[in-house]
């Protein structure tokens, strides 16, 4: 059985090289809207998406991410022109799961529109730091938040690699 949703799930890949071409506003709007439709525990909708498109803002966040990585010279955002920071409310007991579903929706929606994406980790550490909390305040994001991930978006600079074969034994039927 196959349909458009299943094809997108099976063909989406993480991209680690981007062109400078900006993501069209209507595509970005659709991707972000898909993120807001992610399932959430108790319908709380406790996740927040902060969107960065300014090169200087992205560079500052990338520097912080690279520092957590332990490699200040790294470029963990791979030149992507858009970074979506997914944050969640730590008061909600499903906050991590809710944020992960937002990340998944963002990446699948992007792929369906021809936009490449990748989940970049270390958002939790970045926004747990005093510097990260100050950055949130600078952005006007009030309150306590846990960083779930950075969803980078843009146009791929190289062709997608084929998927690895699926491992056997990952489904157990009772």
């Amino acid at each position: 059985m196959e349909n458009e949703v299943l094809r997108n799930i099976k063909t989406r890949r993480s991209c680690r090289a981007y062109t400078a071409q900006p993501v069209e506003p209507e595509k970005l709007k659709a991707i972000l809207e898909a993120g807001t439709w992610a399932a959430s525990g108790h319908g709380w909708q406790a996740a927040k998406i902060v969107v960065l498109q300014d090169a200087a803002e992205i560079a500052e966040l990338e520097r912080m991410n690279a520092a957590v990585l332990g490699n200040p010279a790294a470029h963990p955002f791979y030149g992507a022109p858009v970074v979506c920071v997914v944050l969640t409310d730590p008061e909600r007991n499903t906050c991590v799961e809710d944020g992960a579903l937002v990340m998944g929706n963002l990446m699948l929606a992007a792929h369906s529109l021809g936009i490449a994406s990748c989940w970049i980790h270390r958002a939790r550490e970045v926004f747990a730091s005093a510097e990260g909390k100050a950055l949130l305040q600078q952005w006007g994001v009030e309150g306590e938040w846990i960083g779930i991930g950075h969803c980078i978006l843009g146009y791929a600079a190289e062709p997608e690699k084929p998927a690895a074969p699926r491992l056997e034994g990952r489904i157990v039927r009772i």
Side-chain angles (χ1 to χ4, degrees):
M1 190 168 199
E2 190 77 16
N3 65 31
E4 187 178 348
V5 172
L6 295 174
R7 269 190 301 283
N8 277 314
I9 290 170
K10 292 176 181 179
T11 59
R12 194 208 73 77
R13 299 286 166 269
S14 293
C15 176
R16 292 179 180 84
Y18 293 83
T19 69
Q21 179 182 349
V23 174
E24 295 87 343
E26 64 277 3
K27 287 186 178 183
L28 182 56
K29 181 180 177 186
I31 293 164
L32 295 170
E33 183 180 9
T36 69
W37 282 96
S40 64
H42 300 274
W44 284 324
Q45 301 179 45
K48 183 180 292 286
I49 307 166
V50 179
V51 184
L52 285 75
Q53 293 179 274
D54 177 76
E57 291 279 345
I58 291 172
E60 177 66 9
L61 185 58
E62 184 175 48
R63 178 195 61 75
M64 294 167 68
N65 191 290
V68 172
L69 181 61
N71 182 359
H75 292 282
F77 294 164
Y78 304 106
V82 179
V83 176
C84 300
V85 180
V86 176
L87 306 164
T88 60
D89 178 354
E91 294 297 313
R92 303 298 184 181
N93 64 339
T94 59
C95 67
V96 173
E97 294 85 353
D98 295 351
L101 287 167
V102 170
M103 289 289 291
N105 274 23
L106 292 172
M107 293 184 295
L108 285 171
H111 179 62
S112 77
L113 296 172
I115 304 296
S117 68
C118 190
W119 180 328
I120 306 301
H121 291 280
R122 297 170 296 280
R124 182 180 300 255
E125 296 87 346
V126 165
F127 294 106
S129 73
E131 187 178 16
K133 289 181 187 308
L135 193 56
L136 289 176
Q137 207 167 39
Q138 178 186 320
W139 293 340
V141 178
E142 301 288 328
E144 290 296 315
W145 295 94
I146 293 174
I148 295 300
H150 305 91
C151 181
I152 59 174
L153 302 169
Y155 285 94
E158 50 194 47
E160 288 182 346
K161 296 179 178 151
R166 301 295 90 180
L167 297 174
E168 294 294 323
R170 293 177 58 208
I171 299 172
V172 177
R173 293 180 184 263
I174 307 297

